Amino acid sequence: MSTENEVRDLFNRIASDYDRLNDVLSLGLHRIWKQMTVKWVNPAPGAVCLDVCCGSGDLAQILARRVGRHGQVYGLDFSAMLLTIAQQRDVPSVHKAPIAWVEGDALALSFPANTFDGVTMGYGLRNVTDVGQSLAEILRVLKPGGRAAILDFCKAPDGCTQQFQQWYLHTLVVPIATQLGLKAEYTYIEASLARFLMGSEQVALAQSLGFGQAKYYAIAANTMGILVLQK
C-alpha cells in the first residue's frame, strides 16, 4: 500500500503528461465517461458542487458549465502541480460558474457539513489510502438529498474482463508510459486495481456509512464503473 505522500509525489511527477496520456490511453473516451458522471449527479442551475481529486479539472469544468454562472464549483486535489494546470486551463466565462481550486485532502475535506448539492470524483477513489474515510467525507459535505458520482476503473469478478484489463495495461499503458519516461509511475495502476473494491463492495460500504441510496453501474464493457450515491 502506497502512503499518501508517495501517491501525491507520483501525481506531481506525471502532471505535465496527465491529459495527453488520458486521451491516448482511453482513445478520448474518458471525456464521455466524465459527462456521464456529471449527468448522474444532475446538478440544477445555481447549484454548489465539488469535484474531489479534480486532477487537471475536466469534471470541475463540466460541472461549472452545468450549474451556470449563478452556481459555484470547487475543485480539490492534493497535487499542487495538477492544480496549477487546472488553473491555467480555467478560462472565465459568463456561461459557467466560477471555479475555486483548492489544495486539500480527500480524507479530510476542508468544507462544513451539508455544503454541496453534488459531488464528483474521477479516478481518485482507487488511489486514496482509506476508501471508507473518503466516502464518509463525501457524505458529510453533501446536503440532504445531494448526489455524488464516482468514476473509476471497474474491478470485475469476471475472468475475461480481468484478462482484458491486464492486456490493456501491459500492451498499451506501460509501453506508452515508458516512451514518455514514466514507466515506474504508470505500473502502479495494476497494483491499485488489484486491491480496489468491486462495485458490489463499494455499494455495501457506502450503505454501511449511511448513504440513503447507492448503486453501481459498470460501463465500457465492464472496464470502468460509476458509483452513484445519494444522501
Side-chain angles (χ1 to χ4, degrees), residues 47 63-65 67-73 90 93 95-99:
L63 285 169
R65 291 191 291 271
V67 303
R69 59 181 179 146
H70 297 299
Q72 175 67 58
V73 172
D90 185 16
S93 169
H95 302 295
K96 69 182 185 71
I99 304 175

Side-chain angles (χ1 to χ4, degrees), residues 14-215:
I14 67 176
S16 61
D17 293 298
Y18 185 74
D19 288 323
R20 180 166 44 142
L21 278 166
N22 280 346
D23 280 332
V24 171
L25 298 177
S26 73
L27 303 178
L29 293 174
H30 72 99
R31 301 183 187 280
I32 296 173
W33 302 330
K34 289 170 181 174
Q35 292 281 357
M36 294 171 63
T37 302
V38 172
K39 285 183 179 180
W40 280 118
V41 173
N42 193 29
V48 180
C49 294
L50 169 67
D51 182 31
V52 183
C53 302
C54 67
S56 58
D58 284 356
L59 276 167
Q61 294 286 355
I62 299 170
L63 285 169
R65 291 191 291 271
R66 186 70 179 260
V67 303
R69 59 181 179 146
H70 297 299
Q72 175 67 58
V73 172
Y74 293 82
L76 179 141
D77 205 284
F78 66 176
S79 168
M81 294 296 293
L82 280 171
L83 282 174
T84 296
I85 292 171
Q87 289 174 312
Q88 291 171 347
R89 294 176 56 195
D90 185 16
V91 179
S93 169
V94 296
H95 302 295
K96 69 182 185 71
I99 304 175
W101 303 103
V102 180
E103 186 173 349
D105 186 352
L107 303 184
L109 297 175
S110 53
F111 304 99
N114 306 314
T115 297
F116 298 104
D117 300 291
V119 175
T120 57
M121 179 187 283
Y123 301 105
L125 194 65
R126 180 174 39 86
N127 293 309
V128 299
T129 55
D130 188 330
V131 172
Q133 178 62 23
S134 180
L135 292 177
E137 278 293 277
I138 290 173
L139 177 64
R140 181 182 67 81
V141 301
L142 272 174
K143 295 177 182 178
R147 301 183 74 177
I150 299 170
L151 168 68
D152 215 312
F153 281 91
C154 177
K155 181 182 179 182
D158 179 77
C160 292
T161 300
Q162 291 177 349
Q163 290 176 7
F164 174 77
Q165 286 177 331
Q166 289 175 346
W167 174 86
Y168 167 79
L169 292 169
H170 296 162
T171 308
L172 296 178
V173 175
V174 173
I176 292 172
T178 300
Q179 291 177 7
L180 294 170
L182 296 170
K183 179 179 179 179
E185 284 78 1
Y186 269 78
T187 52
Y188 87 97
I189 294 178
E190 187 169 5
S192 68
L193 185 57
R195 62 174 178 264
F196 196 37
L197 299 177
M198 290 188 293
S200 59
E201 294 171 323
Q202 294 177 41
V203 168
L205 177 58
Q207 290 172 334
S208 73
L209 292 169
F211 280 99
Q213 296 182 30
K215 294 184 179 180

